[in-house]
């Protein structure tokens, strides 16, 4: 069965499979929704660049977000999607970027395929990964209460994970904690790239809000956030040392363990203000 043929009653990004469920009363066969994961090849100007293992929905967002967060283009108007082609082997996204931008790809050429839906995995050199992040220009500061409002809303905006239990989500909130956009994917990097692409298409100012992710805060996620100018990135799990170092240099507020009304701020805590009630304790 083709994983990309969607039954009308199936959640987008999922496929139905038969599974044997077992418990103390024995075994039974039931139909279960499973998250789709397929190879998605990214081609620029007729040349292959990377292969991501991704959920095959919102692929235009993925292509644009990846191109922006990996600094392959500077603005959305520099990318043209020529086609999204499906085959039994996977999906190929054919894109075109200005020749001057395409010329720099030779220094960051990927060894295909990439693994783990990762913007770093498959890179040909360390230099192509550890590029200097831009310093975030936004002076945004938010109250911690806004962060927790957005996190609470995110739990209700993950239909694919609710159906399958197998995906990550990335959301973007305004400074007041109103969740504006959410994207899901089996890969945490892909979820953030889809979000970045959707923000660019909607012309949402990355510097006027913050991002939240349902994963650890890895270097790659911190780099992607910094690259597009998001001033605060909050993750429900821990950060890594390299993510903290990058956040320090990029003026990115990096928050970990953001859940259940708590959080830990690892870089630039001045961007996350205590609410007035908390600060008076």
């Amino acid at each position: 069965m083709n994983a990309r043929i969607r039954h009308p009653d199936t959640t987008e990004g999922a496929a139905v499979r038969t599974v044997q469920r077992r418990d103390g009363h024995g075994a039974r066969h039931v139909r279960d929704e499973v998250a789709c994961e397929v190879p998605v090849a990214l081609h620029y100007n007729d040349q292959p660049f990377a292969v991501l293992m991704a959920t095959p929905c919102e692929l235009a967002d993925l292509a644009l977000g990846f191109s922006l967060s990996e600094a392959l283009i500077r603005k959305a108007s520099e990318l043209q999607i020529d086609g999204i082609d499906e085959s039994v082997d996977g999906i190929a996204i054919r894109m075109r970027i200005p020749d001057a931008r395409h010329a720099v790809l030779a220094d960051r050429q990927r060894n295909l395929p990439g693994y783990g839906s990762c913007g770093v995995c498959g890179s040909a050199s360390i230099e192509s990964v550890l590029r200097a992040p831009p310093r975030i220009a936004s002076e945004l500061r938010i109250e911690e209460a806004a962060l927790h409002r957005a996190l609470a809303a995110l739990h209700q905006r993950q239909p694919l994970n609710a159906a399958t239990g197998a995906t990550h989500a990335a959301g973007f909130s305004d400074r007041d904690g109103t969740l504006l956009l959410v994207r899901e994917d089996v890969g945490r990097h892909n979820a953030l790239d889809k979000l970045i692409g959707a923000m660019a298409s909607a012309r949402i100012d990355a510097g006027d809000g913050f991002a939240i992710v349902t994963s650890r805060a890895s270097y790659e996620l911190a780099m992607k956030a910094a690259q597009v100018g998001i001033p605060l990135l909050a993750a429900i799990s821990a950060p890594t040392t390299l993510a903290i170092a990058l956040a320090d240099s990029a003026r990115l507020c990096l928050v970990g363990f953001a859940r259940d009304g708590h959080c830990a701020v690892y870089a630039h805590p001045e961007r996350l203000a205590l609410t007035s009630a908390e600060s008076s304790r």
Side-chain angles (χ1 to χ4, degrees):
M1 176 181 175
N2 190 328
R4 297 187 293 281
I5 297 176
R6 181 186 169 198
H7 188 277
D9 296 328
T10 304
T11 308
E12 185 178 10
V16 174
R17 294 291 184 268
T18 299
V19 58
Q20 187 185 75
R21 290 268 174 84
R22 300 184 180 191
D23 55 28
H25 301 288
R28 67 189 188 280
H29 287 87
V30 298
R31 291 168 66 80
D32 192 24
E33 287 192 78
V34 180
C36 295
E37 183 178 29
V38 302
V40 178
L42 306 180
H43 295 251
Y44 294 91
N45 296 16
D46 303 316
Q47 297 295 318
F49 182 70
V51 175
L52 309 176
M53 300 304 297
T55 302
C57 57
E58 296 161 333
L59 294 176
D61 288 342
L62 176 63
L64 177 56
F66 180 91
S67 302
L68 288 166
S69 72
E70 292 293 313
L72 306 181
I73 58 175
R74 291 192 180 92
K75 53 187 178 180
S77 60
E78 292 184 328
L79 183 77
Q80 174 183 318
I81 298 178
D82 291 337
I84 299 177
D85 306 320
E86 297 190 30
S87 70
V88 294
D89 297 322
I91 297 173
I93 305 178
R94 294 180 287 106
M95 296 167 280
R96 195 153 299 278
I97 59 178
D99 290 340
R101 301 296 292 160
H102 187 255
V104 307
L105 296 190
D107 295 331
R108 299 182 52 206
Q109 186 60 47
R110 308 300 171 103
N111 298 321
L112 301 181
Y115 297 100
S117 313
C118 174
V120 169
C121 304
S123 294
S125 69
I126 292 175
E127 290 78 9
S128 68
V129 173
L130 300 180
R131 62 187 189 277
R135 287 179 62 79
I136 295 166
S138 171
E139 299 296 335
L140 179 74
R141 285 167 172 76
I142 68 165
E143 287 195 353
E144 188 178 324
L147 170 61
H148 293 302
R149 280 195 294 272
L151 286 164
L154 184 62
H155 291 305
Q156 310 302 318
R157 298 272 296 271
Q158 300 176 59
L160 184 55
N161 190 60
T164 68
T167 57
H168 289 291
F172 187 80
S173 171
D174 67 15
R175 62 181 64 207
D176 296 320
T178 300
L179 203 56
L180 303 179
L181 284 171
V182 177
R183 290 294 183 267
E184 293 183 275
D185 198 277
V186 291
R188 63 188 186 276
H189 313 89
N190 298 334
L192 184 55
D193 278 334
K194 286 180 178 181
L195 177 69
I196 290 168
M199 290 167 56
S201 295
R203 298 184 179 180
I204 293 174
D205 184 353
D208 201 31
F210 58 93
I212 49 180
V213 293
T214 60
S215 66
R216 68 180 182 272
S218 62
Y219 168 85
E220 305 98 314
L221 297 191
M223 172 61 85
K224 288 176 182 293
Q227 184 65 49
V228 299
I230 296 172
L232 186 152
L233 175 66
I236 67 169
S237 295
T240 65
T241 56
L242 198 55
I244 296 169
L246 183 147
D248 276 332
S249 64
R251 299 184 70 232
L252 170 69
C253 179
L254 186 63
V255 180
F257 298 106
R259 51 191 170 184
D260 303 324
H262 304 281
C263 67
V265 187
Y266 290 86
H268 292 283
E270 71 278 2
R271 289 193 183 273
L272 187 62
L274 292 171
T275 60
S276 54
E278 292 169 330
S279 60
S280 62
R281 291 176 186 172

